[in-house]
Amino acid sequence: MNFFAFGLLLLTCAPWSIYSDERLLVNMTLVRNAAAQGAVCLDGSLPAYHLHRGFGSGARNWLLQFEGGGWCNDIESCLERSRTRRGSTWFMSKWEVFSGILSNNASLNPDFYNWNRVKLRYCDGASFAGDAKFDNGTTSLYFRGQRIWQAIILDLLPKGLNRTDKALLSGCSAGGLATFLHCDDFTRLLPSNASVKCLSDGGFFLDIRDIGLNHTLRSFYENLLVLQCFFPQYALTYITTPFFILNSAYDVYQFHHILVPPSADLRGHWNRCKLNPAACTPNQINILQGFRHEMLATLRFFFGNSTEGGMFINSCFAHCQSESQDTWFAENSPRVHNKTIAEAVGDWYLGRRVFKEIDCAYPCDTTCHNLIP
Ligand SMILES: *[C@@H]1O[C@H](CO)[C@@H](O)[C@H](O)[C@H]1NC(C)=O
Ligand SMILES: *[C@@H]1O[C@H](CO)[C@@H](O)[C@H](O)[C@H]1NC(C)=O
Ligand SMILES: *[C@@H]1O[C@H](CO)[C@@H](O)[C@H](O)[C@H]1NC(C)=O
Ligand SMILES: *[C@@H]1O[C@H](CO)[C@@H](O)[C@H](O)[C@H]1NC(C)=O
Ligand SMILES: *[C@@H]1O[C@H](CO)[C@@H](O)[C@H](O)[C@H]1NC(C)=O
Ligand SMILES: *[C@@H]1O[C@H](CO)[C@@H](O)[C@H](O)[C@H]1NC(C)=O
Ligand SMILES: *[C@@H]1O[C@H](CO)[C@@H](O)[C@H](O)[C@H]1NC(C)=O
Ligand SMILES: *[C@@H]1O[C@H](CO)[C@@H](O)[C@H](O)[C@H]1NC(C)=O
């Protein structure tokens, strides 16, 4: 049996988004040819994406965004997932809101609004990266993320992706991790004269010990680590495509699931601090500053020498900041050196200026929403 296991880490991106009345809803496209390539969701259903066409000067540019949504770690949790919208297109919404980096409104998304924008639905449970099958006679489960990724690209190429001038691969959380894993692959699949770059939002998962000194996340991915270099901090060294890392230095997902997983805080000493950073004790703040320090050191080591890379590392208690309008580009969006995330990513992508900014430590940033899911 060569299937691999993943940790079940349920997370959703930006449930706090407020959508205006003129929100853009985009139709689902099922990838009909995928089944013949063995590219199917956990339950065997066809994979899907949502495409909104670009226009004007953006008509030959493409933004692909991996949907996020945690992982599943064993047969039982993947089986359960296969009966939900995270593992089967049968259960997914057929229309998706395109906001933030996916918005088609120039005043909400100044640099990418007129590109072809695609949301790749996530239904394999493993950041679009597995290729295996489980079948014991009565139950089948498909771990076919790698094939789904390829099938979607093959479907998009004749729709204009084969003539792309500029392309950006993005995603948050499990989708942010997918951008690390597929970035160079993306470059190889596109025309050789295209300008290709990648953006990982909330996907810089650190291989650290939790407060109980256990490698919680590493043990989650134990089986996977045998198969591939899973932690992005190790993959980053090898990526040759220009990369932008958008992350909070206090990423709440990592804080709640990796630094202080429930297993390491059985008595719930961190519950109040997890809900509100202002309620943390000085000792807890010290531990969080240590986490930030570790993240910055890791980024400097792997990324400090890169001249084409960009980063926006703020100090908000947040996770996923490119997909919701209020954190991407709005009057009161988070800023570093007075730049919003949309401006920073646009500056970097279009080469207007180098953007590698790290915010000062908590609690100095006054632009945070600290919206904890
Ligand atoms: C939705 O997309 C499908 C193809 O994926 C198309 O056949 C259908 O007409 C679309 N529906 C609307 C309302 O645009
Ligand atoms: C674009 O967004 C602005 C700001 O929210 C809004 O005033 C305008 O109506 C939107 N335009 C369209 C075409 O939806
Ligand atoms: C196959 O796996 C499923 C899920 O683990 C289990 O419920 C079922 O009993 C297994 N069937 C056989 C024949 O082992
Ligand atoms: C892109 O795909 C279309 C549709 O298959 C085809 O007509 C066109 O020749 C292709 N263009 C390039 C540059 O490959
Ligand atoms: C890439 O090459 C094709 C074919 O020669 C050309 O049509 C296209 O404009 C070029 N794209 C860029 C970004 O240079
Ligand atoms: C560390 O992991 C071991 C093995 O999973 C577990 O028995 C132990 O309770 C964990 N300790 C803490 C503090 O989380
Ligand atoms: C980056 O440069 C520093 C100083 O020159 C060096 O010590 C470090 O190993 C380099 N990092 C990588 C990933 O090459
Ligand atoms: C910050 O940027 C805004 C425009 O986004 C500008 O109006 C404001 O003056 C800037 N503030 C500072 C202190 O530079």
Side-chain angles (χ1 to χ4, degrees):
M1 234 175 347
N2 75 345
F3 64 86
F4 47 79
F6 283 82
L8 176 69
L9 304 166
L10 288 175
L11 60 149
T12 51
C13 284
W16 51 80
S17 298
I18 298 158
Y19 300 119
S20 60
D21 286 329
E22 60 274 344
R23 64 186 188 164
L24 169 65
L25 285 163
V26 178
N27 196 4
M28 174 185 275
T29 304
L30 286 171
V31 185
R32 303 270 170 208
N33 293 331
Q37 303 160 46
V40 290
C41 298
L42 284 171
D43 69 333
S45 60
L46 287 175
Y49 60 80
H50 301 245
L51 161 64
H52 195 246
R53 289 283 182 178
F55 56 92
S57 61
R60 281 168 65 119
N61 299 338
W62 288 75
L63 167 66
L64 270 62
Q65 185 204 58
F66 288 114
E67 182 180 27
W71 305 272
C72 56
N73 74 330
D74 55 23
I75 294 302
E76 294 311 316
S77 61
C78 289
L79 201 51
E80 192 175 314
R81 190 181 175 98
S82 74
R83 301 181 186 119
T84 72
R85 70 190 171 94
R86 298 270 181 231
S88 168
T89 38
W90 285 111
F91 300 101
M92 285 181 185
S93 56
K94 304 298 180 284
W95 295 84
E96 279 287 289
V97 173
F98 272 30
S99 62
I101 197 172
L102 292 177
S103 169
N104 65 335
N105 183 330
S107 52
L108 303 175
N109 186 25
D111 291 310
F112 306 106
Y113 72 97
N114 63 356
W115 289 31
N116 297 284
R117 294 152 356 270
V118 190
K119 179 169 194 165
L120 281 58
R121 298 308 295 269
Y122 179 35
C123 65
D124 62 281
S127 287
F128 294 82
D131 188 6
K133 186 183 174 184
F134 170 79
D135 193 342
N136 68 357
T138 57
T139 303
S140 317
L141 269 177
Y142 300 85
F143 302 104
R144 293 286 174 75
Q146 180 66 35
R147 295 190 196 203
I148 290 173
W149 156 247
Q150 283 163 355
I152 291 178
I153 294 290
L154 276 181
D155 201 69
L156 291 173
L157 281 170
K159 294 185 175 178
L161 186 63
N162 66 352
R163 284 179 279 115
T164 191
D165 287 341
K166 296 192 176 75
L168 176 60
L169 184 64
S170 81
C172 183
S173 201
L177 181 55
T179 63
F180 284 114
L181 301 175
H182 294 296
C183 183
D184 280 348
D185 219 20
F186 189 49
T187 302
R188 270 192 300 276
L189 292 163
L190 297 187
S192 56
N193 63 349
S195 157
V196 183
K197 302 189 180 188
C198 304
L199 159 69
S200 167
D201 176 7
F204 197 68
F205 294 96
L206 292 180
D207 179 18
I208 51 155
R209 290 169 188 256
D210 63 33
I211 52 164
L213 300 181
N214 273 350
H215 274 113
T216 300
L217 192 64
R218 189 189 287 189
S219 29
F220 259 177
Y221 300 119
E222 218 161 37
N223 294 336
L224 179 56
L225 279 167
V226 175
L227 286 178
Q228 56 179 286
C229 179
F230 181 68
F231 281 91
Q233 71 188 56
Y234 306 126
L236 203 53
T237 328
Y238 306 107
I239 297 173
T240 55
T241 307
F243 217 99
F244 192 100
I245 296 180
L246 162 60
N247 225 98
S248 164
Y250 308 94
D251 184 289
V252 288
Y253 177 77
Q254 295 199 55
F255 168 20
H256 293 188
H257 299 269
I258 300 173
L259 180 65
V260 191
S263 62
D265 181 32
L266 296 175
R267 291 166 182 271
H269 292 306
W270 284 77
N271 290 355
R272 276 159 44 82
C273 173
K274 281 183 174 179
L275 290 174
N276 176 8
C280 301
T281 65
N283 184 44
Q284 288 169 336
I285 290 291
N286 276 347
I287 289 169
L288 289 166
Q289 302 298 21
F291 176 80
R292 172 176 181 271
H293 189 262
E294 185 80 17
M295 179 175 291
L296 299 187
T298 309
L299 282 168
R300 277 199 194 97
F301 181 78
F302 287 100
F303 213 52
N305 304 345
S306 152
T307 51
E308 293 176 312
M311 58 180 162
F312 186 103
I313 309 296
N314 58 353
S315 295
C316 301
F317 283 75
H319 180 64
C320 293
Q321 304 182 91
S322 63
E323 300 174 347
S324 83
Q325 195 58 51
D326 53 355
T327 47
W328 173 246
F329 191 60
E331 198 68 31
N332 64 347
S333 289
R335 286 169 187 256
V336 174
H337 298 156
N338 204 30
K339 287 276 184 183
T340 59
I341 293 167
E343 291 167 310
V345 172
D347 283 353
W348 160 79
Y349 190 95
L350 298 169
R352 289 190 296 246
R353 71 183 194 109
V354 176
F355 199 99
K356 268 192 181 177
E357 305 288 359
I358 295 171
D359 203 358
C360 45
Y362 176 83
C364 79
D365 187 338
T366 56
T367 65
C368 289
H369 297 195
N370 291 340
L371 292 161
I372 296 168

